[in-house]
């Protein structure tokens, strides 16, 4: 009886280990490592005390977006112009499980991992399972350049 319990316990440990490896590989395949290219032409990832992350305003059409990198995390950030002259920046990291959401399309950001959908103008959740909106960043227009500011508190 003891031998059988030991064998069953060993099999369970191997199964759990395999499930952990599978989970890790799926996260790597579909999670944050799957970020879109982060730097559009004309952008610069700042070093501490260095230049700000900028993108030409002309690269962000009304209803469109440009992708830059958050200098603190390295995650992609979408700078969007939902209406003429209004700019916002949203994190590409889904608030449900940390997967990378797709760039804005038709006014929405879609998470391919579990199907959450977010409003591209506000970051608000349209469809779950996510319940929290996407984090925002400040965006400042300086002449013909848009400058990414820090992530805002929720």
């Amino acid at each position: 009886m003891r031998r059988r319990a030991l064998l069953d316990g060993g099999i369970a440990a191997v199964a759990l280990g395999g499930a952990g490896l599978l989970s890790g590989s799926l996260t790597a395949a579909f999670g944050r490592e799957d970020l879109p290219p982060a730097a559009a032409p004309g952008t610069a990832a700042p070093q501490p005390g260095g230049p700000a992350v900028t993108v030409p305003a002309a690269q962000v059409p009304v209803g469109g977006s440009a992708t830059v990198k958050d200098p603190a995390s390295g995650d992609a950030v979408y700078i969007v112009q939902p209406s003429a002259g209004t700019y916002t920046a949203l994190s590409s990291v889904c608030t449900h499980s940390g997967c990378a959401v797709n760039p804005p399309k038709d006014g929405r950001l879609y998470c391919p991992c579990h199907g959450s959908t977010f409003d591209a103008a506000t970051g608000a959740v349209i469809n779950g399972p996510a319940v929290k909106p996407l984090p925002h960043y400040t965006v400042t227009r300086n002449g013909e350049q848009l400058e990414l500011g820090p992530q805002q508190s929720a």
Side-chain angles (χ1 to χ4, degrees):
M1 189 72 147
R2 285 185 180 163
R3 186 185 239 176
R4 182 67 184 166
L6 182 60
L7 182 59
D8 289 345
I11 291 171
V14 169
L16 286 173
L21 288 173
L22 177 61
S23 173
S25 67
L26 289 174
T27 299
F30 297 106
R32 293 171 71 168
E33 277 70 50
D34 193 31
L35 292 176
T43 63
Q47 300 301 319
V53 175
T54 62
V55 64
Q59 286 187 4
V60 185
V62 175
S65 68
T67 306
V68 297
K69 256 189 184 181
D70 177 334
S73 68
D75 293 326
V77 174
Y78 301 121
I79 298 178
V80 297
Q81 185 179 188
S83 60
T86 303
Y87 298 94
T88 190
L90 301 167
S91 172
S92 68
V93 180
C94 181
T95 56
H96 172 244
S97 65
C99 294
V101 297
N102 294 335
K105 182 177 180 185
D106 299 326
R108 296 178 180 208
L109 297 110
Y110 174 76
C111 181
C113 292
H114 300 106
S116 293
T117 308
F118 301 89
D119 184 280
T122 65
V125 176
I126 296 172
N127 293 330
V131 294
K132 293 182 180 178
L134 293 173
H136 286 77
Y137 294 76
T138 58
V139 178
T140 305
R141 185 165 184 160
N142 187 3
E144 294 303 310
Q145 296 290 314
L146 299 175
E147 184 175 312
L148 181 68
Q151 189 178 52
Q152 300 300 297
S153 301

